[in-house]
Amino acid sequence: MDHLLFLAQERADSARLALHSAGSQLTSRLSTLKDGARTALQSSLDAVKNQRFSEEVAERIRSWLAQLKEALSAVSPSKIYDRVFIVFITEVTRTHIYFGGACFCLGGIFGILLGMRLRSSLVAPQRMRAVVINSYRGIEAIGVVEDIVAPRIVDPHQVLVQVKAAGIDYLDIRVAQGYGRVLRRQLNKYNPNTDGEFPAVLGRDCSGVVVAVGRDVSRVEPGEEVWLAVPFYHPGTLSEYVVVSEELVAPKPSQLTFEGAAALPYSIMTAWDALVTQAGLGPDSTAGKRVLVHAGVSGVGVVAVQLVRAWGGSVTTTVSSRAAQLAHMLGAEDVITYDNSNFDKELLLREKYDVILNTVGQVLHEPCLKYCLPDGIVVTTASSLLASDSYGYMMGGLYSLYMRARYWFIKAPWLSGGRWGTLEVKGQVLEKVVPLVNAGQLQAVVDKAYSAQDAEVAFAHVAKGEQIGRTVLRFRARPLASRMEGSL
């Protein structure tokens, strides 16, 4: 009996659920029909309203056109011309004509300048990371910024390079102390990619990939890996992007990594200037010559030792005891360690030298003369003080006038190859040493490689004077838009 009651109750519940479901479905369908009818009615009303509104607008426009046609038909062009001519003859004086002409010219010039300004600001300037200084307080003034305006191509002979790695030279610390500030301040006036004296980007050399080129560039092309060096008065290379003249750029040797290629260019320029330009050495004139290189594992010393050795010369160098083995590996036949011996006495015991390369500074120039042959030469590679850095108000003004006059004749140095310093920097020099790099006779020595964010730590390391070879920074550049004047 209980089982029958249970079955009956179950059947009743099932019937109740079925009825509830059917009711819900019916309610839903009725609601859908109601909403559809309401929507259809509203659409019909809107269509009627829109039709009436369109008819009213069309009728008003036809009325305005009729009135305009009637007004134009009542006016004769000849009558207008006669009235204007009478006014011009009777009312307009010569003063009015002059004043109107002057206003027209001034307005035209203003419009042209405004148009040029608006054209240049159509695209927001791209920002990039760079190592800069904002004062001349030395190493304390060096910092990393994330929002400096990226350079753009402004001349048909320029190249835009995405920097992969850049070297730190001790000259950068001198620049942070004010070296070349007057010359750089004057030249920045004529460089569209600089806005005043600060911030000033540091760095003398780098390696990277060509992003865009001016229309007259023939030495490199977009996508090519390159290495380059820039003079001290040029905007630096410690940034995600640089724009330079094609004369400063050369294809990167495939044997070098980006870090290795960034550690060599400016040192190559300095060593080449000292050995070839000043001392007269070269592939055909070095064999049998005795050459002394002070600080043979410095940035310049590393290159000088290898060049002399590759050209057949005999190399003696002075280094610390921890770098003696490396000096031998680079090609030095005679290595004198200055931290555990009297190198002055050691040098006096040796035969005199044809060429002495002083990479330390003026403090060693006079002593070097004792070790040099009477017809030999001592070359100091350390940058000497610039007279322009000590100019006062009057001399500074005259120097500014001289710079302006010279600029108008040769234009900016980074655009047409003008030389404003004692060291000539050109990509052709880099091309000349590529065979030595490919043959393994010229190798890069990277002391340490830091990320760009750690630039301050890297400069502190360089300032200690303990580096062997060069210290470099790595850059992971963010892409720039194609607006970088690729049409030039």
Side-chain angles (χ1 to χ4, degrees):
M1 188 66 179
D2 294 335
H3 181 65
L4 292 175
L5 291 174
F6 175 76
L7 291 176
Q9 186 177 359
E10 189 178 38
R11 294 282 179 87
D13 291 339
S14 298
R16 192 183 302 111
L17 288 174
L19 290 174
H20 179 73
S21 176
S24 299
Q25 291 179 2
L26 180 61
T27 303
S28 176
R29 289 181 180 179
L30 291 175
S31 177
T32 302
L33 289 174
K34 183 180 67 174
D35 292 340
R38 181 182 299 171
T39 301
L41 180 61
Q42 187 66 38
S43 299
S44 300
L45 293 175
D46 291 342
V48 172
K49 291 180 180 179
N50 291 336
Q51 184 176 3
R52 291 179 179 177
F53 178 76
S54 300
E55 291 176 354
E56 292 178 0
V57 171
E59 182 64 27
R60 186 165 298 180
I61 291 175
R62 282 195 293 269
S63 174
W64 288 344
L65 291 175
Q67 294 176 8
L68 179 63
K69 183 177 181 181
E70 183 179 355
L72 291 175
S73 62
V75 178
S76 172
S78 60
K79 292 181 180 180
I80 296 176
Y81 174 78
D82 291 340
R83 289 182 181 180
V84 171
F85 183 76
I86 292 173
V87 171
F88 184 80
I89 294 297
T90 59
E91 301 293 337
V92 177
T93 65
R94 184 175 296 179
T95 302
H96 292 149
I97 295 174
Y98 290 159
F99 182 76
C103 291
F104 178 80
C105 293
L106 291 175
I109 294 173
F110 177 77
I112 292 173
L113 295 176
L114 180 61
M116 293 173 63
R117 183 65 178 267
L118 290 175
R119 179 180 179 274
S120 63
S121 60
L122 287 177
V123 181
Q126 300 290 325
R127 301 284 170 169
M128 67 176 184
R129 176 182 298 143
V131 181
V132 304
I133 56 171
N134 284 295
S135 66
Y136 292 123
R137 294 182 292 109
I139 197 170
E140 295 179 359
I142 299 173
V144 181
V145 296
E146 302 285 340
D147 59 347
I148 191 171
V149 178
R152 56 192 176 88
I153 293 177
V154 296
D155 181 84
H157 295 280
Q158 286 185 324
V159 178
L160 171 66
V161 178
Q162 177 184 342
V163 177
K164 296 294 186 180
I168 298 177
D169 195 272
Y170 189 78
L171 180 61
D172 292 314
I173 297 178
R174 296 195 61 192
V175 169
Q177 295 169 342
Y179 180 80
R181 62 185 181 277
V182 175
L183 176 59
R184 202 161 37 252
R185 185 188 308 132
Q186 295 298 326
L187 293 178
N188 283 350
K189 297 177 181 179
Y190 311 105
N191 186 354
N193 283 320
T194 58
D195 186 16
E197 187 173 8
F198 299 112
V201 181
L202 300 176
R204 298 302 104 206
D205 44 16
C206 70
S207 62
V209 178
V210 176
V211 176
V213 298
R215 64 171 178 266
D216 294 338
V217 172
S218 58
R219 293 169 59 89
V220 294
E221 56 187 25
E224 189 171 2
E225 296 181 354
V226 296
W227 58 341
L228 62 97
V230 297
F232 70 90
Y233 48 78
H234 193 285
T237 58
L238 288 173
S239 57
E240 291 180 332
Y241 292 88
V242 295
V243 167
V244 297
S245 169
E246 67 169 328
E247 294 183 353
L248 302 177
V249 181
K252 181 182 76 68
S254 58
Q255 302 290 330
L256 293 176
T257 63
F258 283 115
E259 289 82 2
L264 283 174
Y266 197 75
S267 297
I268 290 174
M269 297 297 172
T270 306
W272 188 276
D273 179 76
L275 295 175
V276 179
T277 306
Q278 299 187 56
L281 300 181
D284 302 323
S285 58
T286 308
K289 297 290 182 67
R290 287 175 49 78
V291 180
L292 169 63
V293 179
H294 276 299
V297 293
S298 63
V300 177
V302 164
V303 175
V305 168
Q306 294 182 89
L307 287 180
V308 173
R309 185 59 178 170
W311 293 338
S314 175
V315 185
T316 299
T317 186
T318 59
V319 297
S320 64
S321 56
R322 69 187 182 97
Q325 184 177 358
L326 175 61
H328 280 296
M329 293 174 60
L330 294 175
E333 298 177 1
D334 188 8
V335 177
I336 302 173
T337 56
Y338 53 73
D339 54 354
N340 57 12
S341 65
N342 188 333
F343 78 89
D344 182 65
K345 184 181 296 184
E346 292 288 339
L347 288 171
L348 289 175
L349 294 175
R350 287 162 170 79
E351 294 182 25
K352 294 185 181 297
Y353 297 92
D354 299 284
V355 176
I356 297 179
L357 192 61
N358 172 20
T359 67
V360 177
Q362 292 294 331
V363 66
L364 281 183
H365 185 77
E366 290 297 328
C368 286
L369 297 176
K370 299 184 298 182
Y371 323 130
C372 190
L373 290 170
D375 58 345
I377 183 173
V378 176
V379 181
T380 299
T381 62
S383 301
S384 57
L385 296 176
L386 296 177
S388 59
D389 287 340
S390 60
Y391 286 165
Y393 182 78
M394 182 175 296
M395 287 298 295
L398 294 175
Y399 186 67
S400 177
L401 292 176
Y402 160 73
M403 294 288 293
R404 182 179 294 274
R406 187 176 174 186
Y407 168 80
W408 287 114
F409 282 102
I410 72 169
K411 297 301 180 182
W414 41 83
L415 298 185
S416 59
R419 183 173 176 180
W420 302 78
T422 57
L423 177 64
E424 187 172 17
V425 178
K426 283 192 174 182
Q428 293 177 349
V429 176
L430 298 177
E431 292 177 347
K432 291 178 180 179
V433 301
V434 168
L436 297 178
V437 174
N438 293 334
Q441 294 178 298
L442 179 58
Q443 302 179 46
V445 177
V446 178
D447 184 61
K448 289 187 178 181
Y450 295 86
S451 63
Q453 297 91 325
D454 298 326
E456 297 175 18
V457 178
F459 269 94
H461 171 67
V462 173
K464 293 178 182 178
E466 299 176 354
Q467 66 173 345
I468 295 176
R470 294 283 300 281
T471 298
V472 301
L473 294 182
R474 300 190 188 98
F475 283 87
R476 297 181 60 185
R478 293 157 289 187
L480 286 181
S482 59
R483 60 121 187 141
M484 302 302 281
E485 304 296 337
S487 60
L488 280 173

